[in-house]
Amino acid sequence: MGCLDLFHRVDTVGIFDIKWSPVGGSNVGSLLAQADADGFLRTYSLEDSSDGAEGSFLKEINGVKISSSMCLCLDWNPSATSITVGLSDGSVSIVSVLESQIEIQQQWKGHDFELWATSFDIHQPQLVYSGSDDCKFSCWDLRDSPSKLAFQNIKAHKMGVCCIVKSPSDPNTVLTGCYDEHLRVWDVRSISKPVNETSICLGGGVWRIKPHPILLDIVLAACMHNGFAVVKIEGDNTEVIETYSKHDSLAYGADWQKCESNQEGKNKSSVVATCSFYDRLLRIWMPQSDITT
């Protein structure tokens, strides 16, 4: 895949999660949000170097301490005007991001233990999902203040919930990853009683799930002690297409390359970046399987 050159770095406290704002969602351009171990939520913009140096650099736009607890996870709403943050004391925080200003809108105790997963419903952004070490998978309605519990499943996950992802193509499907090594597919057509349609064991705690940017039935999973997996989800059928095990440490970070052109997108958007914990290793690779079929 060629060489990687580091042209910019930012020294920070421990970072638990980072996410770019949705493309075209903000009137201030794309922002990178960062959930920090010191309880701060920070945002950065990507700026072009003005001194003729190669590449770009991150410019901090804002940083606000939103809790005395650690910020563990975050997600943007589709319009890039709000961020949901999961905290180590089990709380959920909803933060507004308008004209680069960060302000806490709501904060409530949603779980008993560390809250490792929170995400907006991209089709119904008034809904926020959360998951925790208490094994609970919850959904909250932001139209009430404090937010009202829309549902809570306490039986399906046998260990802590690590990640929650709404399907970008199917408004009725939500994916969850869990320390119990299972990726679960949920039907949330009845928001008060979601149905666990199917699940698959990936051999390691499912820390991250990333939908393919173009292929609607393909996701990438970071599976902690068992490397990475490319998974195909088609109705009730869920299968592992390919695994990647060239990391010698906990598989934590994973994402697809985003490509603007659909003409070249199937191949270019199948480039994967993965990273692992203790060995601080970043790898760029492409699935060897034909995932387009």
Side-chain angles (χ1 to χ4, degrees):
M1 295 297 298
C3 298
L4 292 172
D5 294 318
L6 177 67
F7 58 82
H8 177 65
R9 66 182 294 163
V10 179
D11 291 326
T12 73
V13 299
I15 302 171
F16 281 101
D17 201 8
I18 52 173
K19 281 193 179 75
W20 287 102
S21 60
V23 174
S26 173
N27 55 14
V28 296
S30 293
L31 295 176
L32 181 69
Q34 173 179 304
D36 284 349
D38 60 0
F40 272 77
L41 174 67
R42 291 180 169 86
T43 57
Y44 299 86
S45 63
L46 188 64
E47 306 286 339
D48 292 327
S49 297
S50 58
D51 56 3
E54 183 180 353
S56 305
F57 67 95
L58 290 173
K59 176 185 177 182
E60 183 169 336
I61 301 298
N62 213 325
V64 173
K65 189 174 183 66
I66 63 171
S67 176
S68 58
S69 300
M70 295 185 291
C71 297
L72 300 182
C73 55
L74 63 85
D75 190 39
W76 292 86
N77 70 346
S79 60
T81 55
S82 293
I83 297 174
T84 175
V85 183
L87 304 174
S88 60
D89 67 354
S91 296
V92 183
S93 184
I94 305 298
V95 180
S96 66
V97 184
L98 297 174
E99 297 182 353
S100 307
Q101 298 301 308
I102 296 175
E103 183 177 328
I104 298 174
Q105 293 178 310
Q106 295 188 51
Q107 192 163 293
W108 70 93
K109 181 82 169 179
H111 291 267
D112 301 323
F113 303 119
E114 286 89 347
L115 200 154
W116 291 111
T118 184
S119 66
F120 280 97
D121 186 313
I122 58 176
H123 301 100
Q124 302 180 79
Q126 77 275 11
L127 301 178
V128 166
Y129 301 102
S130 63
S132 164
D133 272 347
D134 60 11
C135 307
K136 296 174 182 177
F137 168 39
S138 305
C139 178
W140 310 88
D141 192 331
L142 300 183
R143 288 173 294 187
D144 292 306
S145 184
S147 292
K148 180 182 177 181
L149 187 63
F151 75 76
Q152 188 172 78
N153 182 287
I154 63 175
K155 296 181 178 179
H157 300 93
K158 307 309 178 187
M159 299 178 73
V161 182
C162 304
C163 59
I164 303 170
V165 177
K166 184 70 183 288
S167 167
S169 59
D170 184 350
N172 301 316
T173 298
V174 173
L175 310 177
T176 61
C178 182
Y179 281 125
D180 67 10
E181 304 183 351
H182 282 76
L183 183 156
R184 290 177 172 84
V185 183
W186 296 83
D187 184 339
V188 293
R189 220 166 316 202
S190 173
I191 200 67
S192 63
K193 193 176 181 181
V195 178
N196 181 198
E197 285 194 315
T198 185
S199 65
I200 185 171
C201 181
L202 299 182
V206 184
W207 185 252
R208 287 290 181 267
I209 301 170
K210 295 289 185 176
H212 192 285
I214 294 174
L215 304 173
L216 304 181
D217 55 354
I218 298 293
V219 300
L220 174 67
C223 306
M224 297 181 73
H225 292 284
N226 199 38
F228 300 87
V230 179
V231 182
K232 187 169 188 176
I233 302 171
E234 206 167 21
D236 293 336
N237 183 33
T238 306
E239 63 174 323
V240 176
I241 303 297
E242 185 172 328
T243 58
Y244 186 80
S245 56
K246 293 186 178 180
H247 290 260
D248 296 324
S249 181
L250 287 173
Y252 265 0
D255 208 350
W256 304 95
Q257 179 183 2
K258 307 299 189 294
C259 184
E260 294 181 359
S261 169
N262 284 339
Q263 303 300 320
E264 55 184 358
K266 284 191 177 180
N267 289 327
K268 283 197 173 182
S269 289
S270 294
V271 176
V272 173
T274 52
C275 59
S276 43
F277 189 65
Y278 295 111
D279 57 2
R280 296 170 292 179
L281 183 64
L282 168 67
R283 287 187 177 274
I284 308 294
W285 52 280
M286 291 184 69
Q288 297 302 301
S289 310
D290 184 5
I291 64 175
T292 63
T293 57

